[in-house]
Amino acid sequence: MTQTLDKPTDRRFIHSGVSWEKFKLIEAGFADSPGIRLFYYEGEVEILAVSLEHEAISRFIGILLGIYLAEKGIEFTPSGSFTQEKEGVASAQADESYFLGSGGTTPDLSIEVVFTSGNERKLNRYQALGVPEVWFWEDGRFALYCLRGNSYERVSKSEILPDLDIELLSRCLLMTSRVEAVREFRRGISQS
């Protein structure tokens, strides 16, 4: 059973002309504010207050991907929404992020749940940070992007997880019963 999507709204504030130093002061001011995500790219600050629906989808993506990676024997470190930064240039907090294999300094995959606009702006941040693959969950489906040189190219399947059935993942995310969704996802990945 799938659910119909009533698109929740996250509250978003964007301000331009902010220095890196001022951004770090803003960031410090929000240090103890759960549900607030801060982003920076070349003088533009975005402050995002995420909704319960946003967090529920984000965490469930994390649960299903954790199941997939464990079932397929892929070593991983889930790094959630930790702050990824390139000083003076970009700062981002993905909803979910993952280091695959033995780790490194930049996550292999960052995932954003989007209830507002701004995918291109977000891709610019991740490009500056050097994240190889970025996924956006919006309107009940994924849009996947792979870094090619200095820009992202939209792709139909993951290059870092080429055996992952994105349609299965999407379908399970839309199911109203989380228990049934996990069961369906496990059945689907065991057959691939």
Side-chain angles (χ1 to χ4, degrees):
M1 171 184 270
T2 58
Q3 62 188 357
T4 58
L5 293 177
D6 293 328
K7 193 170 186 175
T9 57
D10 293 330
R11 291 176 296 176
R12 190 174 105 165
F13 171 79
I14 298 174
H15 189 70
S16 298
V18 179
S19 70
W20 180 256
E21 293 75 21
K22 285 183 182 176
F23 167 70
K24 296 310 281 179
L25 290 172
I26 293 167
E27 185 178 57
F30 282 101
D32 295 323
S33 301
I36 300 293
R37 303 265 165 63
L38 297 170
F39 304 90
Y40 180 88
Y41 181 67
E42 294 185 342
E44 183 178 88
V45 173
E46 179 180 352
I47 302 171
L48 180 66
V50 296
S51 64
L52 173 61
E53 295 87 353
H54 180 119
E55 292 295 273
I57 287 288
S58 172
R59 296 304 174 260
F60 199 52
I61 290 169
I63 288 168
L64 294 178
L65 279 180
I67 290 168
Y68 175 82
L69 293 166
E71 292 289 324
K72 296 298 182 180
I74 300 169
E75 288 295 334
F76 68 102
T77 302
S79 46
S81 61
F82 90 103
T83 302
Q84 305 170 47
E85 284 188 340
K86 183 173 183 182
E87 188 173 340
V89 179
S91 178
Q93 294 174 309
D95 292 304
E96 299 293 331
S97 54
Y98 296 87
F99 292 89
L100 302 178
S102 60
T105 57
T106 301
D108 297 288
L109 171 63
S110 289
I111 302 170
E112 292 270 353
V113 173
V114 180
F115 290 147
T116 58
S117 61
N119 290 1
E120 284 185 25
R121 178 181 290 116
K122 292 174 190 254
L123 280 175
N124 289 337
R125 293 177 198 140
Y126 289 112
Q127 183 274 326
L129 296 166
V131 178
E133 198 162 296
V134 178
W135 301 357
F136 293 107
W137 170 260
E138 185 174 14
D139 295 330
R141 62 181 177 262
F142 281 102
L144 284 62
Y145 295 86
C146 288
L147 187 59
R148 306 266 193 264
N150 291 327
S151 64
Y152 282 95
E153 178 182 321
R154 186 157 179 184
V155 295
S156 59
K157 67 184 248 179
S158 174
E159 292 184 1
I160 60 170
L161 299 172
D163 296 329
L164 176 62
D165 183 341
I166 295 296
E167 293 303 316
L168 171 66
L169 178 61
S170 298
R171 190 170 59 252
C172 291
L173 286 168
L174 293 172
M175 295 175 73
T176 53
S177 168
R178 298 297 188 211
V179 172
E180 286 303 315
V182 168
R183 288 179 182 152
E184 176 69 20
F185 190 70
R186 282 186 187 277
R187 274 191 299 269
I189 61 175
S190 70
Q191 295 170 0
S192 63

